Amino acid sequence: MRRAACPGSYDPPTRGHLDVIRRTAAIFDEVHVLVGTNSTKTGLFTPDERVSLLAEALADLPSVRTHVFNGLIVDYCRDNEIGTVVKGIRGAVDLDYESQMAQLNRAMTGLETLFLPAAPQWAAISSSLVRDIARMGGSFDQFVTPGIAASTRKKLAAGS
Ligand code: PNS
């Protein structure tokens, strides 16, 4: 069984995230989408809410599981017999940041990281920009699924 992990903050999941997860599912037998809990300071959705958004958007892929995870990626991967992390790369800034994590993860346990180039149509999207546009009332529907767009509007309305 070839297993991969796709860790991230996913606040909210974008079409770029979903594209990388779907491409990973086409390569590996099982994909664990991991919602990290370490960068929730300015979070919009709770980690459990992000898991629900991802699970709904990926419901047609039986090989994809979505979990909240705490702690180190290397520990989760060791405990769940996952040998590879897959990350989407939008450009040089992502590559720089992700390369550092990839090097340290490999040094710690031998966990490998594969980089997938972001699809050009999603290469400029980030969750933080989607949150900004949504908070200021702009149109962000093209960057997320209809369900995630609706949940984002509902969440912002509830918080304002
Ligand atoms: O979407 P993001 O914000 O780039 O995701 C960051 C995340 C959650 C993947 C990253 O912070 C992470 O891997 N956290 C887990 C803790 C860990 O393993 N850190 C050491 C990496 S060398």
Side-chain angles (χ1 to χ4, degrees):
M1 175 78 85
R2 291 170 308 159
R3 296 188 183 87
C6 290
S9 299
Y10 301 114
D11 187 33
T14 67
R15 288 199 186 274
H17 290 133
L18 298 173
D19 181 59
V20 168
I21 294 164
R22 286 178 180 280
R23 288 159 65 193
T24 304
I27 300 169
F28 288 85
D29 300 315
E30 191 175 285
V31 179
H32 291 230
V33 179
L34 304 177
V35 176
T37 57
N38 62 333
S39 53
T40 54
K41 265 193 300 189
T42 57
L44 178 63
F45 291 99
T46 67
D48 285 338
E49 288 170 340
R50 298 175 210 176
V51 168
S52 298
L53 295 174
L54 285 159
E56 194 183 322
L58 299 164
D60 58 307
L61 294 179
S63 66
V64 174
R65 295 138 190 252
T66 308
H67 309 284
V68 172
F69 89 108
N70 299 293
L72 292 174
I73 288 173
V74 288
D75 290 336
Y76 181 94
C77 289
R78 188 195 52 229
D79 294 347
N80 291 278
E81 298 181 345
I82 296 169
T84 311
V85 167
V86 178
K87 286 296 196 97
I89 298 291
R90 290 165 297 188
V93 173
D94 278 353
L95 185 62
D96 198 40
Y97 173 66
E98 296 295 346
S99 295
Q100 192 180 6
M101 284 203 286
Q103 299 272 17
L104 297 186
N105 284 336
R106 187 157 182 265
M108 283 189 279
T109 64
L111 180 65
E112 290 283 11
T113 299
L114 295 183
F115 294 144
L116 287 184
Q121 66 268 42
W122 312 129
I125 304 176
S126 68
S127 296
S128 63
L129 290 177
V130 167
R131 288 198 305 274
D132 280 354
I133 296 167
R135 281 197 175 106
M136 294 176 204
S139 169
F140 61 97
D141 296 74
Q142 63 186 305
F143 309 132
V144 297
T145 65
I148 292 170
S151 297
T152 301
R153 289 201 171 88
K154 201 169 151 193
K155 187 80 176 171
L156 288 169
S160 61

